[in-house]
Amino acid sequence: MIMERSERDMYLRIVEPEQDNRKFNGDDRAEVDAFIRMMKADEAARKEANEKFISNIEKDLEKLHEEVVEDMKTKPRAVRLRELVRSRLFVLSQTCETDERFADRWREAIETAKYLIEKIDRKVDFLPDKSYDNPPSLQIQINTKPLIELFETWKSNKFGVIDSATDFCYFNYAFRGEPIPPDKQPYRPIRVTTSKSKFQRFLREVLPIEQKTIPANIKKKVTCLFVDKNGKPLRLYNE
């Protein structure tokens, strides 16, 4: 679970070594040995605390990344997620020189936080002020250029897979879950203008799956994202 409050003070207490006011005269060997053991124990505890700290931050950022991809559907939600990422970035920047043994992980976490903030900033202006009950998208990992090429192919007269009047923003949402502009909300199901079997064959070629059949969860999403020539939910054949 993402921590909903700023934990800067707690983190700093964990990673910053406390002032040691203990006095050692070094008068005998036993006292020197005890001092060395104490220092080793203190260092082990500090290393463990720093390991716990950076691990917690990494898990936080990983969870926040999931939230940005799957749950950032409105401007208020984007603002909140940005605040959470910024708080992690602030803590990381304040503690980046704490322990050289974890320097690489600190730097990587800082870069991850910056990347997430950039990702949020790129999308926030396209998000609506309120949430719409849009169906879940296919969440296919595909770059913009090949997706545009696929869109143009599917709506061309040669292939005629989908209605030529289809707006790209709905196609983009259906496949990748990219935000729909506020003035075009809510999602409008895409009308399939070819036969069900042909559409199923085209879709199978796009999906990143090794099996020959389309998974049941994808078929369920298709029912909500696409309609047939008569405007009814498109239900794919069982293969």
Side-chain angles (χ1 to χ4, degrees):
M1 178 180 294
I2 297 175
M3 290 167 276
E4 290 291 331
R5 59 185 177 83
S6 174
E7 297 183 321
R8 172 180 176 275
D9 293 338
M10 185 194 78
Y11 282 148
L12 293 179
R13 284 201 300 273
I14 288 176
V15 298
E16 289 184 348
E18 296 179 358
Q19 185 68 31
D20 190 353
N21 296 317
R22 289 166 289 189
K23 302 295 182 180
F24 293 88
N25 297 319
D27 292 336
D28 56 56
R29 181 65 186 180
E31 187 176 85
V32 171
D33 289 344
F35 176 76
I36 292 174
R37 287 195 300 272
M38 181 202 70
M39 293 300 293
K40 288 181 177 180
D42 287 352
E43 181 60 20
R46 193 167 76 91
K47 180 180 179 181
E48 181 181 355
N50 284 320
E51 166 67 29
K52 182 178 180 181
F53 164 78
I54 193 62
S55 294
N56 284 340
I57 287 285
E58 289 168 340
K59 290 176 182 177
D60 259 7
L61 292 174
E62 182 179 354
K63 180 63 177 175
L64 283 165
H65 194 180
E66 292 177 3
E67 295 273 350
V68 169
V69 172
E70 300 176 5
D71 191 46
M72 195 176 72
K73 298 178 181 178
T74 64
K75 280 187 173 69
R77 184 58 179 157
V79 170
R80 179 56 182 151
L81 287 172
R82 194 181 194 283
E83 290 174 349
L84 291 171
V85 176
R86 284 289 299 177
S87 69
R88 273 62 182 173
L89 179 58
F90 176 79
V91 171
L92 286 165
S93 64
Q94 293 295 306
T95 59
C96 61
E97 298 180 0
T98 298
D99 194 329
E100 277 298 318
R101 290 167 297 193
F102 301 99
D104 289 343
R105 291 174 67 181
W106 241 270
R107 284 192 290 269
E108 186 174 345
I110 287 174
E111 289 305 311
T112 298
K114 290 179 178 179
Y115 164 76
L116 288 178
I117 290 173
E118 292 174 1
K119 190 178 183 74
I120 293 170
D121 289 346
R122 285 197 305 269
K123 293 185 176 184
V124 65
D125 289 339
F126 300 97
L127 295 173
D129 293 323
K130 64 177 183 178
S131 178
Y132 292 89
D133 190 22
N134 291 326
S137 70
L138 298 176
Q139 289 293 330
I140 296 176
Q141 299 298 316
I142 180 172
N143 292 329
T144 301
K145 185 176 179 179
L147 183 68
I148 292 175
E149 292 174 352
L150 180 69
F151 174 67
E152 295 297 336
T153 299
W154 278 26
K155 72 187 185 78
S156 67
N157 292 331
K158 180 179 179 180
F159 292 92
V161 180
I162 60 174
D163 190 336
S164 60
T166 301
D167 194 311
F168 178 72
C169 73
Y170 301 126
F171 193 81
N172 196 16
Y173 175 82
F175 279 84
R176 300 196 301 181
E178 291 296 308
I180 300 172
D183 61 330
K184 295 186 178 181
Q185 290 280 4
Y187 175 80
R188 299 173 189 173
I190 298 170
R191 189 166 72 94
V192 173
T193 53
T194 189
S195 66
K196 188 184 300 186
S197 58
K198 184 178 178 181
F199 175 79
Q200 198 153 332
R201 185 170 67 253
F202 270 82
L203 181 62
R204 191 186 299 115
E205 293 175 357
V206 179
L207 296 174
I209 56 177
E210 296 181 1
Q211 59 266 44
K212 295 181 180 180
T213 59
I214 298 177
N217 68 314
I218 295 294
K219 289 182 179 180
K220 184 177 180 180
K221 290 181 178 181
V222 166
T223 302
C224 300
L225 294 168
F226 298 88
V227 294
D228 62 19
K229 296 177 183 179
N230 300 314
K232 296 181 179 179
L234 185 68
R235 303 185 186 281
L236 299 182
Y237 294 118
N238 291 323
E239 299 169 294

